[in-house]
């Protein structure tokens, strides 16, 4: 079992345990289990065996249910279960259940303990770690949320065995993003690019992903600056995702990386073109084909809502630059639109 500890500048700590079978090693007493319907169907027995007396509630699965209705239904169930300040909520599921459950735990009685047990590759390499919680609101992704670190995160590779290939691709999106922040992870992915669909290989990289994210979160848990690098590729990803919700988050991230590697070549002096082409190649292998996307005009309209933007007339981007290096850049909306159009014509 591997252990990663995050202590933030505000001295909040989160302990992350990674390994096969760590779900059964959860030490905390669970007062309530929150999951989704798919995970309950697959792992209901495993959950009941581990926590025989804890009430369980499953939200309907999927991003379209990451809403205020689901949040308030969960809070209602937590109240019915008479949770108290000292209670612990355990979230078992992907990034949707983890983000929503983390928010409910942070809100209930102004905050109760939350333990995350992520079950998708995306949630294991990214969303369960670092304390971002949220729901989507009025069509905007993650508009309502709070930073609230989970007390513990138990990352059990055994959950990944039932993941459909598309969900593996979603986790790969955030893994490729992390590789743009770490020369070591980039080299590992590039040298093993024929294994990007191989679950054994990818689950062996979970700890590396978490170390990369933890190093950033330790220094900037509240996204005052540096943490924006964890949104590499995400400005363009969210811009498309907001308009059409056909793909999953991780797939949009891969598309965002394809665009933003090209934007980096055009805007950052000294950017390493050969490396950026390799990064694009990784994103292409992971995606497997280019889906239809909304128009650049629609995407730029939605980019105006991006939480990272520093001013009303510019879009903020965290761009890949050289191996293990990124750069922040702001572009006027007109310039961003022109680039999305031009790059979109020769994206694949
Ligand atoms: P998800 O939670 O919707 O899970 C994807 C699908 O897989 C769902 O249908 C789910 O029921 C199913 N599933 C879950 N575990 C399974 C298993 N072991 N076997 C088979 N099926 C399983 O989506 P996701 O990709 O895990 O997470 C995406 C969400 O994460 C987005 O809402 C995104 O905004 C959020 N996110 C948050 C952060 C953060 O830092 N908080 C970071 C990245 C992404
Ligand atoms: N996934 C982006 C972040 O945690 O900051």
């Amino acid at each position: 079992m591997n252990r990663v500890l995050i202590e933030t500048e505000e001295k909040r700590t989160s302990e992350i345990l990674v390994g096969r079978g760590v779900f059964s090693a959860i030490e905390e007493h669970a007062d309530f289990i929150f999951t989704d319907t798919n995970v309950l169907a697959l792992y209901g027995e495993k959950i009941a065996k581990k926590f025989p007396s804890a009430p369980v509630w499953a939200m309907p699965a999927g991003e379209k249910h990451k809403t205020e209705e689901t949040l308030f239904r969960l809070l209602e169930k937590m109240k019915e279960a008479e949770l108290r300040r000292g209670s612990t909520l355990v979230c078992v599921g992907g990034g949707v259940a983890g983000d929503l459950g983390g928010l409910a735990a942070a809100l209930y009685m102004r905050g109760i303990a939350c333990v995350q047990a992520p079950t998708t590759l995306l949630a294991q390499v990214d969303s369960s770690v670092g304390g971002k919680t949220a729901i989507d609101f009025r069509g905007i992704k993650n508009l309502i949320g709070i930073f609230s670190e989970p007390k513990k995160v138990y990352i059990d590779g055994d959950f990944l065995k039932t993941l459909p290939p598309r969900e593996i691709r979603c986790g790969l999106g955030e893994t490729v993003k992390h590789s743009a922040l770490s020369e070591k992870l980039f080299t590992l992915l590039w040298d093993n690019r024929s294994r990007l669909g191989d679950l054994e290989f990818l689950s062996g990289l979970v700890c590396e992903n978490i170390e990369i994210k933890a190093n950033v979160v330790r220094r900037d848990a509240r996204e005052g600056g540096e943490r924006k690098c964890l949104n590499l590729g995400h400005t363009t990803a969210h811009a498309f995702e907001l308009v059409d919700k056909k793909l999953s988050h991780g797939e949009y991230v891969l598309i965002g990386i394809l665009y933003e590697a090209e934007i980096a070549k055009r805007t950052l002096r000294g950017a390493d073109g050969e490396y950026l082409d390799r990064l694009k190649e990784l994103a292409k292998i992971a995606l497997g084909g280019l889906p239809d996307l909304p128009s650049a005009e629609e995407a730029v309209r939605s980019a105006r809502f991006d939480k990272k933007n520093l001013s009303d007339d510019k879009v903020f981007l965290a761009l890949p630059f050289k191996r293990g290096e990124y750069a922040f850049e702001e572009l006027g909306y007109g310039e961003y639109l022109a680039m999305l159009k031009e790059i979109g014509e020769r994206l694949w």
Side-chain angles (χ1 to χ4, degrees), residues 166 169 240 244 246-248 251-252 254-255 258-259 287-294 344 347-348:
R166 187 162 178 206
R169 186 184 308 147
F240 284 120
D244 87 335
K246 284 200 300 282
L247 310 178
S248 335
E251 293 170 320
Y252 285 111
L254 290 165
I255 289 165
L258 283 180
Y259 274 94
L287 260 177
L290 185 65
D292 282 341
L293 291 171
L347 193 62
W348 204 254

Side-chain angles (χ1 to χ4, degrees), residues 208-225:
E208 191 60 38
N209 276 278
I210 288 168
E211 290 284 5
I212 293 165
K213 183 164 183 178
N215 266 330
V216 176
V217 173
R218 281 185 198 112
R219 291 189 292 258
D220 180 21
R222 296 294 180 265
E223 203 167 290

Side-chain angles (χ1 to χ4, degrees), residues 93-165:
V96 167
D99 278 14
L100 197 143
L103 181 57
L107 292 174
Y108 188 85
M109 292 193 171
R110 300 198 181 90
I112 64 169
C114 180
V115 168
Q116 294 281 353
T119 60
T120 62
L121 185 61
L122 183 143
Q124 297 201 347
V125 297
D126 191 351
S127 66
S128 62
V129 171
K132 275 189 178 178
T133 73
I135 52 165
D136 304 334
F137 188 67
R138 302 290 181 263
I140 313 282
K141 232 182 120 49
N142 298 330
L143 188 69
I144 311 281
I146 194 165
F147 288 100
S148 180
E149 286 76 17
K151 182 179 170 195
K152 281 212 186 168
V153 185
Y154 289 87
I155 301 185
D156 188 338
D158 285 341
F159 281 116
L160 302 181
K161 288 181 202 148
T162 50
L163 267 195

